[in-house]
Amino acid sequence: MQARTMVELCGVSKRRGAIQALAGVDLAVGGGEVYALLGPNGAGKTTAIALMLGLLRPDAGSVRLFGSTPQDLAARRRIGVMLQSAGLADALSVGELLAQARSYYPQPRSLADIVALAGIEPLLRQRYERLSGGQQRRVQFAVALCGRPELLFLDEPTTGMDTESREQFWRTIRELVGQGCAVLLTTHYLEEAEALADRVGVLAQGRLVAEGSIAAIRGRVGQRQIRCISSLSEEQVRAWPQVHSALREGEWLRIVAAEAEPVLRSLLAADSGLRELEVQRAGLAEALQTITREAA
Amino acid sequence: MNTLVFDAVSRASLRLEARLEFLRLLRTPGFSVPVLLFPLMFFLLFGVLLANPRSKLQVTQYLLATYSVFGVMGPGLFGFGVSVANERDKGLLALRRALPMPALNYVASKLAMALCFSSIIFVLLALAGAGIGGVRLAWEQWLLLGLVIVPGVLPFCALGLLVASYCSGQAAPAVINLIYLPMALLAGLWLPLSALPAVFQTMAPLWPAWHVAQLALAAMAQPSQGALTGHLLYLLIFTLACGGWAARRLQREP
């Protein structure tokens, strides 16, 4: 599929306690590509990442990182990692934390480069515990860049960042990808996936239920979204053919339908007072909702 | 965990990691103040100032040995127990395992930290004992005492690691204190076991602290109980068992 496979899950299953966190997942990230792993909470994203990083071992199937097991230190020296829940040592300064992370790699990125890429120049001498949440995220990102990674794991990277930091972060990711770095990203922000990803995989209840480019995923769900101010009830509208969902938000009614035209005719016929009518192609968010609902 | 690699990168990384681990804990007053000052304070108070004048030197000598053991329990139990439990909670252990940190460096850097702290504690107590308490030992005896006390931290590192492998960062300090303080008393570190009911003397060989204390007393040519090889064997087995158990548990529940 890709020129070089960097990380791959083959038929991987993993139970965590009573829950089947992953069930027969096949997934691969190739050189220089940005792959976004999406799905609702509890879909198995964190487990998938933990397996690729060698923090967990699969119950069935295999995990390969650069062709070897993720437990292999030589393979992991080619990656950078930013985990969702990972703090760093509070009492150390940012400079010390970077020195520590750089020491794990045979040919680390220069400190000047790391600082410039992550935008943390003014923070170097400060203790980690004194930084704001957003600044701590940037330092965690800097740690992920220390080894000139060929593959970067970013688990919910921009949670807690303000809009400006997030955009700065996306620019940096694009720059790294331009230099040939591949990225595996999980995120709750779909605009993040739309802004960065070449390919998207959708996990639902431990299975990979859709995979493809953003356009393909969106296209898989040829839905239209209709918004209007109407006095019709949700139940009434839901009963019509073609309607997937109807939701009232104050005086607004929001309808997702397979085709817009028949629904529009019914709407206009049923409610003469209807106004502010809008029709849109469904976005990634609606597509994901539909895909994960169908999978359930 | 990781496949075991210990190349030049790993060695250089370990040196840095050990230094940072030491600095990190030194900068954490909740750790460094009690660990460095309490044994010294207690020793000066009970071993020097308040010691019965008639048997003063004997008391001072006994308590120099036992408070040194009490001292090194701190960096072992808290430096491993509380630190590792916190680092598991915060995901720091997971991150370091995901980053290419060589597998052994995590524990090795903490061991180096613990040995540094135990050396400092021993030197502080030895200076106080010789300078203020009037303890006189031949230099071989000082050396031997140091060789008991400084590595004496290791069984407590293993025990701390075991606690951390089961407890959350919230629970670990409480559990560690429940081990630390009663064991210090029951191993005769605060007062000789002859001052306690006989049942505690019978139980004493259960506690690693008692074995280290007997070795320390023997190094100072003070009255001690049990055979040298027995103490060493117990401590070795205790350390390996706790450490091995903890390592297995941490691999399964990182």
Side-chain angles (χ1 to χ4, degrees):
Chain A
M1 186 162 44
Q2 290 86 29
R4 284 174 305 149
T5 302
M6 305 223 140
V7 65
E8 135 182 78
L9 301 179
C10 289
V12 164
S13 297
K14 178 75 186 170
R15 282 193 85 78
R16 298 191 82 175
I19 296 155
Q20 188 69 43
L22 289 179
V25 170
D26 291 295
L27 184 161
V29 180
E33 117 175 294
V34 181
Y35 187 105
L37 197 54
L38 306 177
N41 284 335
K45 302 187 297 276
T46 304
T47 304
I49 291 216
L51 285 161
M52 290 188 244
L53 295 173
L55 297 175
L56 297 172
R57 289 174 192 268
D59 299 334
S62 72
V63 183
R64 310 297 285 170
L65 182 66
F66 296 102
S68 36
T69 79
Q71 278 77 25
D72 182 10
L73 194 66
R76 286 212 320 283
R77 280 179 173 165
R78 299 165 70 177
I79 66 172
V81 183
M82 181 174 176
L83 291 177
Q84 184 183 352
S85 56
L88 295 168
D90 281 337
L92 295 182
S93 72
V94 172
E96 286 165 341
L97 289 168
L98 292 177
Q100 184 182 37
R102 291 178 74 236
S103 79
Y104 300 148
Y105 295 94
Q107 272 132 18
R109 197 184 292 275
S110 76
L111 190 61
D113 277 3
I114 297 166
V115 165
L117 279 167
I120 53 167
E121 173 81 67
L123 309 180
L124 270 184
R125 287 171 176 282
Q126 292 194 42
R127 296 245 186 115
Y128 186 72
E129 61 197 339
R130 305 212 174 117
L131 304 180
S132 73
Q135 289 172 327
Q136 291 190 340
R137 281 314 262 170
R138 271 192 275 161
V139 174
Q140 291 166 20
F141 178 53
V143 165
L145 299 180
C146 283
R148 303 173 189 279
E150 291 166 62
L151 174 60
L152 200 50
F153 287 88
L154 303 172
D155 192 8
E156 305 283 347
T158 57
T159 307
M161 281 189 195
D162 56 37
T163 317
E164 197 183 328
S165 309
R166 185 172 298 156
E167 273 164 13
Q168 155 78 35
F169 176 82
W170 292 352
R171 274 197 295 278
T172 310
I173 295 289
R174 288 198 196 97
E175 191 180 327
L176 290 166
V177 171
Q179 293 165 16
C181 178
V183 178
L184 190 133
L185 170 81
T186 73
T187 181
H188 270 106
Y189 302 106
L190 296 174
E191 70 269 30
E192 187 155 282
E194 295 196 274
L196 295 174
D198 303 311
R199 276 201 309 147
V200 173
V202 183
L203 275 175
Q205 299 184 323
R207 283 175 302 122
L208 194 68
V209 292
E211 194 179 51
S213 67
I214 299 258
I217 294 280
R218 248 206 232 111
R220 242 186 75 145
V221 191
Q223 289 177 337
R224 298 294 184 274
Q225 181 176 285
I226 303 163
R227 270 178 103 231
C228 59
I229 296 179
S230 162
S231 56
L232 295 170
S233 77
E234 295 163 289
E235 292 74 26
Q236 210 176 340
V237 175
R238 265 188 219 132
W240 296 342
Q242 305 269 9
V243 172
H244 282 289
S245 70
L247 203 67
R248 175 159 291 287
E249 289 164 354
E251 58 178 356
W252 288 90
L253 194 61
R254 188 137 77 118
I255 303 164
V256 178
E259 273 185 87
E261 293 77 7
V263 179
L264 289 175
R265 279 188 210 105
S266 311
L267 269 177
L268 292 167
D271 182 3
S272 54
L274 182 138
R275 56 205 169 87
E276 300 279 345
L277 182 64
E278 284 171 20
V279 181
Q280 280 183 331
R281 177 181 279 278
L284 188 57
E286 287 77 21
L288 279 178
Q289 267 174 17
T290 312
I291 290 171
T292 51
R293 204 174 35 232
E294 280 168 0
Chain B
M1 244 184 183
N2 300 310
T3 40
L4 296 180
V5 174
F6 201 63
D7 53 11
V9 177
S10 309
R11 286 190 291 275
S13 179
L14 177 59
R15 279 193 293 276
L16 178 72
E17 195 90 55
R19 195 167 66 84
L20 292 178
E21 182 63 16
F22 179 76
L23 272 178
R24 183 180 77 77
L25 284 169
L26 200 61
R27 288 173 191 165
T28 309
F31 175 85
S32 54
V33 171
V35 156
L36 291 176
L37 293 186
F38 281 9
L40 182 67
M41 243 167 56
F42 288 153
F43 169 67
L44 287 175
L45 195 62
F46 299 111
V48 180
L49 288 175
L50 301 177
N52 182 342
R54 269 178 299 167
S55 53
K56 184 160 186 241
L57 189 60
Q58 207 189 337
V59 171
T60 308
Q61 282 176 330
Y62 181 85
L63 290 181
L64 174 62
T66 59
Y67 271 119
S68 300
V69 179
F70 177 66
V72 302
M73 286 172 80
L77 289 173
F78 289 96
F80 270 75
V82 178
S83 294
V84 175
N86 273 324
E87 290 176 1
R88 279 177 79 205
D89 276 8
K90 282 171 43 185
L92 210 146
L93 181 56
L95 178 66
R96 297 223 224 157
R97 284 184 53 198
L99 289 172
M101 180 175 75
L104 292 176
N105 283 14
Y106 182 71
V107 169
S109 63
K110 283 192 158 36
L111 285 175
M113 167 282 298
L115 289 168
C116 279
F117 272 102
S118 71
S119 307
I120 295 173
I121 291 162
F122 172 66
V123 168
L124 286 174
L125 280 159
L127 289 174
I132 308 171
V135 175
R136 294 287 166 265
L137 295 178
W139 71 266
E140 299 93 332
Q141 286 176 311
W142 282 119
L143 184 70
L144 205 55
L145 185 60
L147 286 176
V148 169
I149 295 298
V150 174
V153 73
L154 298 176
F156 304 106
C157 294
L159 184 57
L161 194 63
L162 183 61
V163 171
S165 70
Y166 280 92
C167 291
S168 69
Q170 295 272 314
V175 175
I176 294 284
N177 270 313
L178 278 176
I179 296 173
Y180 181 48
L181 301 176
M183 195 198 285
L185 177 70
L186 296 176
L189 303 188
W190 293 341
L191 67 178
L193 285 171
S194 53
L196 294 175
V199 58
F200 294 128
Q201 296 177 42
T202 324
M203 280 163 60
L206 288 175
W207 320 121
W210 180 79
H211 293 275
V212 185
Q214 298 312 307
L215 287 173
L217 289 167
M220 296 171 76
Q222 293 290 307
S224 68
Q225 289 177 293
L228 183 69
T229 46
H231 296 310
L232 287 174
L233 198 63
Y234 173 92
L235 291 169
L236 185 70
I237 292 171
F238 180 88
T239 306
L240 292 178
C242 288
W245 185 359
R248 267 178 68 93
R249 164 103 186 146
L250 284 173
Q251 270 174 41
R252 265 183 282 150
E253 308 270 330

